[in-house]
Amino acid sequence: MAENIGKKQVQKVAKLSRLQLTQNEIDEFTGQLSAILKYFEKLQQLDTEDVKPLAHCLPINNVFRDDLPQQSLGTEKTLENAPQHDGDFFKVPKILDESSGA
Amino acid sequence: MNDLEYKVIIGLEIHVQLCTKTKMFCSCQVGFGEQPNSRVCPVCLGMPGSLPVMNKKAVEYAVLVGLALNCKIADFTKWDRKSYYYPDLPKNYQISQYDLPLAENGYIDVPLDDGKTKKIRITRAHLEEDAGKNIHSTGNFSQVDLNRAGTALLEIVTEPDLNNSRQAKTLAIELQKIVRYLVVSEADMQKGHMRFEPNVNLIINKDGKEYKTPIVEIKNLNSFRALERSIDYEIERQLDEFLQTGKVMQMGNKSTRGWDGEKQVTVLQREKEEANDYRYFPDPDLVPVVLKGKWLDDIKGNLCELPLKKQIRYVSKFKLSEYDAGVLTAERSTAELFEKAVQAGAKPKRLCNLITQIGLKLANEAGRCLAELGLNAQHLAQLAVMIEKGEINASAADNIMQQMIKTQKDPTTLANELNLIQKSDEDELDKIVGQSLEENAQAVEDVKSGGKKSKKALGFLIGQVMKKTKGKANPKIVSKILHKKLS
């Protein structure tokens, strides 16, 4: 059977995940990921015709909380673990791509 | 250029910030203008080991909007992670809904200039969490404030049924009214509660052939004006680009542009292609939502008559102009006050004038909405009836309404206290008019001689009567007596 995942795809996934991989790592991960995918291919043999897609592994739903405010951490504590901060803000490398924002 | 025709195709993505007290998945209080990074906790900071828990109110608000937009509400929805690599969402993913959105397949009625309405299909509406704010202004780094990160956000996506910028803007305004009517969002543009992302392209007919320009998504517009202008700019730009390069739509050549409000142009941000690979997958930290039975019925109970429907009803039932009906229904609380006062016996048109010409002016001066002035519907109706009967005139009504707000007294009491009841007694007014005529022989002469001066002189005489009665003479009756005496 051919490789389930090629080097190109590994490079693409790495790029999307903001990971920098060396040539050796790409080779290594391509092999490993291929093996994993091949293993999972076994699942394809199962008859899932009557099985509903599973959204969550626990058989529960509707776990809510009421809309009541609780104490937040506060600025000082929030920034305590940050590698860098600038006044009350987290300080991060300049964001060049302006298309952030959900 | 002669055989070139084009049609504009626009679809809208709209983000609406819901007015829940707390964030979508944690109990941090939502606020605006707070100290940066003060309203955050381990959940919205994406700390290891923290777990999100759904805000029930946010789900209910979102369902309510879905219902108002005539959507099919899913009885089963779940949460997905959308990969996202910006520091304004520290988890590196946004919790959103991918394949099972909360609401689908609806529509919104958008009023057109010709008085008709156009149905714009709603593809879907789903809940997600907002990102924080990146601030780029200082030095060689960016600042991040995560207070907004995790705030409940409703994303609404329309089908590409809009054909010009005005329709897009009108839809946005209509949606703002709807979410305010439902009290699920303040929809304050200044605070970024509504953000728009239009997808724009053109279908061009040139020399008998049809071409489609590549789709452009304009990101993060936060005013109606920017929405309208950026679309207009983009239409021109795409037309120019097509004429110069002939570039047409292909797989993967959709691009993203930003709006530069200062230069009034759109600026290329990225060619989308593979960047669009968000690799959604179900969020194992959150359980699904099952929506049916009493809970769904309870939510439905919070629906109300929507602004456009109300506006149309006011025109047909109360015989108001579309403009007046639009003003009265712009805010739900104003409309409710109006309707209560009509029930209390006010004539709709008279009441409408009172509200739009005096009430809204006073509200505006106070920097509040009409309902916040504390006007009593019964009193408002009385005031309208008093004008109707000619007991007071318009300027007295202004005065009385101001006092109603201050003192909460009823208008009849106030009119008496302030000595504003009009003189409508014909015999008494007859005498005063007679006096005025004697004292102003020249004006009488001018009226009788007709011509240009006549109208002015008549106005002068009415003014004299008003002066003698300290503005309390009923102008209709004065005018009637004057005409009788001078003809």
Side-chain angles (χ1 to χ4, degrees):
Chain A
M1 201 172 186
E3 280 189 332
N4 301 69
I5 182 166
K7 283 180 191 173
K8 267 202 162 151
Q9 215 173 342
V10 171
Q11 280 171 317
K12 185 186 166 190
V13 172
K15 190 184 168 196
L16 287 170
S17 309
R18 311 299 192 266
L19 294 173
Q20 274 183 330
L21 302 182
T22 63
Q23 203 52 51
N24 280 343
E25 282 172 325
I26 292 171
D27 292 341
E28 189 187 346
F29 294 146
T30 306
Q32 285 181 352
L33 288 168
S34 264
I36 292 167
L37 286 173
K38 199 159 191 181
Y39 180 68
F40 269 86
E41 261 179 11
K42 276 191 180 169
L43 289 174
Q44 307 274 18
Q45 295 163 15
L46 277 174
D47 177 10
T48 55
E49 188 104 62
D50 297 323
V51 181
K52 269 194 177 172
L54 190 68
H56 199 275
C57 60
L58 299 176
I60 49 174
N61 56 52
N62 293 6
V63 177
F64 294 112
R65 61 184 174 79
D66 289 331
D67 187 26
L68 297 170
Q70 304 281 327
Q71 194 67 43
S72 297
L73 282 178
T75 306
E76 199 183 322
K77 241 180 161 179
T78 299
L79 297 173
E80 213 170 61
N81 288 339
Q84 281 188 294
H85 63 92
D86 182 37
D88 289 342
F89 297 94
F90 288 96
K91 186 175 172 181
V92 299
K94 192 147 187 90
I95 300 153
L96 297 171
D97 181 347
E98 299 280 329
S99 54
S100 63
Chain B
M1 282 294 275
N2 283 344
D3 357 334
L4 186 138
E5 277 179 10
Y6 68 93
K7 188 177 177 190
V8 181
I9 309 290
I10 306 164
L12 267 185
E13 258 177 50
I14 306 158
H15 285 98
V16 180
Q17 184 179 315
L18 301 177
C19 60
T20 50
K21 292 192 188 77
T22 65
K23 294 184 178 182
M24 184 65 232
F25 298 110
C26 65
S27 301
C28 286
Q29 193 169 355
V30 177
F32 184 82
E34 303 293 330
Q35 183 185 10
N37 294 305
S38 60
R39 300 279 177 95
V40 287
C41 73
V43 175
C44 50
L45 278 172
M47 294 286 185
S50 63
L51 279 175
V53 185
M54 288 180 272
N55 183 337
K56 191 174 188 186
K57 192 119 255 170
V59 175
E60 292 172 348
Y61 284 179
V63 170
L64 201 54
V65 178
L67 289 166
L69 297 178
N70 310 290
C71 289
K72 186 183 170 292
I73 304 297
D75 54 17
F76 182 92
T77 67
K78 68 174 186 27
W79 302 95
D80 299 281
R81 293 182 176 183
K82 178 181 179 181
S83 302
Y84 178 92
Y85 295 97
Y86 294 98
D88 52 10
L89 256 188
K91 295 194 298 295
N92 278 1
Y93 60 83
Q94 178 191 29
I95 304 173
S96 183
Q97 299 191 296
Y98 180 54
D99 56 337
L100 297 174
L102 225 132
E104 279 182 295
N105 298 328
Y107 64 85
I108 178 171
D109 283 317
V110 175
L112 301 179
D113 291 335
D114 62 5
K116 290 184 188 139
T117 60
K118 180 173 177 177
K119 269 191 176 31
I120 305 297
R121 289 172 297 159
I122 303 289
T123 317
R124 57 184 280 159
H126 70 254
L127 261 177
E128 58 187 33
E129 56 177 340
D130 204 348
K133 277 183 187 157
N134 295 325
I135 298 153
H136 309 291
S137 52
T138 45
N140 202 27
F141 56 91
S142 295
Q143 295 175 319
V144 184
D145 173 11
L146 294 175
N147 280 354
R148 199 182 61 185
T151 304
L153 207 57
L154 184 67
E155 177 174 324
I156 299 163
V157 184
T158 79
E159 291 289 308
D161 291 345
L162 298 154
N163 298 115
N164 58 51
S165 63
R166 188 158 170 80
Q167 286 175 10
K169 183 184 169 187
T170 312
L171 184 149
I173 292 172
E174 208 52 42
L175 185 67
Q176 184 191 42
K177 283 192 210 165
I178 289 174
V179 295
R180 283 181 171 170
Y181 260 59
L182 298 173
V183 205
V184 299
S185 173
E186 289 172 39
D188 186 338
M189 312 299 293
Q190 310 289 322
K191 293 182 184 169
H193 291 168
M194 280 181 93
R195 277 123 57 193
F196 312 105
E197 285 167 9
N199 277 260
V200 184
N201 82 322
L202 309 176
I203 297 177
I204 298 173
N205 266 296
K206 190 176 170 237
D207 305 325
K209 273 182 85 178
E210 190 180 276
Y211 305 89
K212 290 178 183 166
T213 59
I215 295 175
V216 165
E217 178 173 330
I218 312 171
K219 289 295 271 187
N220 264 328
L221 303 165
N222 52 17
S223 75
F224 298 130
R225 172 186 279 213
L227 173 64
E228 189 174 34
R229 293 203 173 164
S230 65
I231 290 171
D232 283 337
Y233 177 85
E234 194 49 36
I235 294 167
E236 290 294 314
R237 194 197 63 77
Q238 290 190 20
L239 199 57
D240 284 350
E241 186 184 70
F242 172 77
L243 291 172
Q244 278 166 26
T245 68
K247 203 170 158 192
V248 292
M249 186 200 290
Q250 282 164 4
M251 273 297 279
N253 75 346
K254 175 175 168 173
S255 60
T256 304
R257 299 180 77 90
W259 175 242
D260 182 331
E262 242 165 69
K263 294 184 187 142
Q264 300 274 304
V265 296
T266 62
V267 184
L268 183 67
Q269 286 184 337
R270 63 177 171 188
E271 305 279 353
K272 242 184 176 176
E273 299 189 79
E274 71 177 33
N276 206 0
D277 197 339
Y278 294 122
R279 289 161 299 142
Y280 286 95
F281 69 98
D283 191 328
D285 286 348
L286 288 159
V287 296
V289 178
V290 175
L291 242 168
K292 54 187 172 191
K294 185 178 179 304
W295 187 31
L296 184 58
D297 290 341
D298 286 348
I299 300 174
K300 280 182 186 165
N302 288 325
L303 272 175
C304 62
E305 184 181 37
L306 297 179
L308 186 61
K309 212 170 168 192
K310 218 182 238 312
Q311 186 180 347
I312 292 167
R313 182 167 65 87
Y314 281 17
V315 172
S316 64
K317 187 175 171 189
F318 299 131
K319 310 290 173 224
L320 298 176
S321 70
E322 257 175 54
Y323 177 81
D324 280 343
V327 174
L328 287 176
T329 57
E331 278 177 275
R332 181 176 170 182
S333 56
T334 306
E336 283 173 352
L337 186 64
F338 171 79
E339 287 183 37
K340 270 189 209 154
V342 169
Q343 271 180 2
K347 284 209 171 147
K349 179 62 189 164
R350 183 72 65 189
L351 178 66
C352 168
N353 290 346
L354 257 184
I355 289 178
T356 56
Q357 289 162 19
I358 303 173
L360 291 175
K361 184 199 74 180
L362 296 176
N364 201 22
E365 282 166 10
R368 297 165 154 213
C369 73
L370 184 77
E372 286 169 345
L373 297 179
L375 281 166
N376 173 313
Q378 294 284 342
H379 292 175
L380 206 54
Q382 273 180 36
L383 188 63
V385 171
M386 286 165 78
I387 300 177
E388 196 71 42
K389 287 185 180 164
E391 289 170 8
I392 53 167
N393 60 31
S395 78
D398 192 326
N399 200 342
I400 291 169
M401 203 189 287
Q402 292 185 41
Q403 293 305 316
M404 280 161 63
I405 292 163
K406 274 191 199 144
T407 65
Q408 301 299 314
K409 289 181 184 170
D410 71 89
T412 311
T413 307
L414 286 167
N416 283 317
E417 279 180 14
L418 300 165
N419 201 15
L420 290 169
I421 300 284
Q422 281 193 138
K423 285 192 197 301
S424 299
D425 185 282
E426 291 205 23
D427 292 339
E428 193 187 342
L429 287 175
D430 196 273
K431 274 182 211 154
I432 300 170
V433 171
Q435 265 178 23
S436 300
L437 296 183
E438 277 171 33
E439 290 163 14
N440 297 285
Q442 183 58 47
V444 173
E445 212 37 46
D446 288 346
V447 175
K448 285 185 173 162
S449 64
K452 269 188 189 170
K453 282 185 180 169
S454 164
K455 235 187 178 167
K456 208 176 158 192
L458 190 66
F460 173 78
L461 288 170
I462 292 175
Q464 290 302 306
V465 177
M466 284 298 178
K467 212 170 160 186
K468 281 188 191 296
T469 59
K470 299 201 172 76
K472 288 190 293 179
N474 183 333
K476 264 190 196 159
I477 296 176
V478 173
S479 178
K480 199 176 93 185
I481 297 170
L482 268 172
H483 278 288
K484 200 172 70 190
K485 285 191 185 292
L486 293 172
S487 57

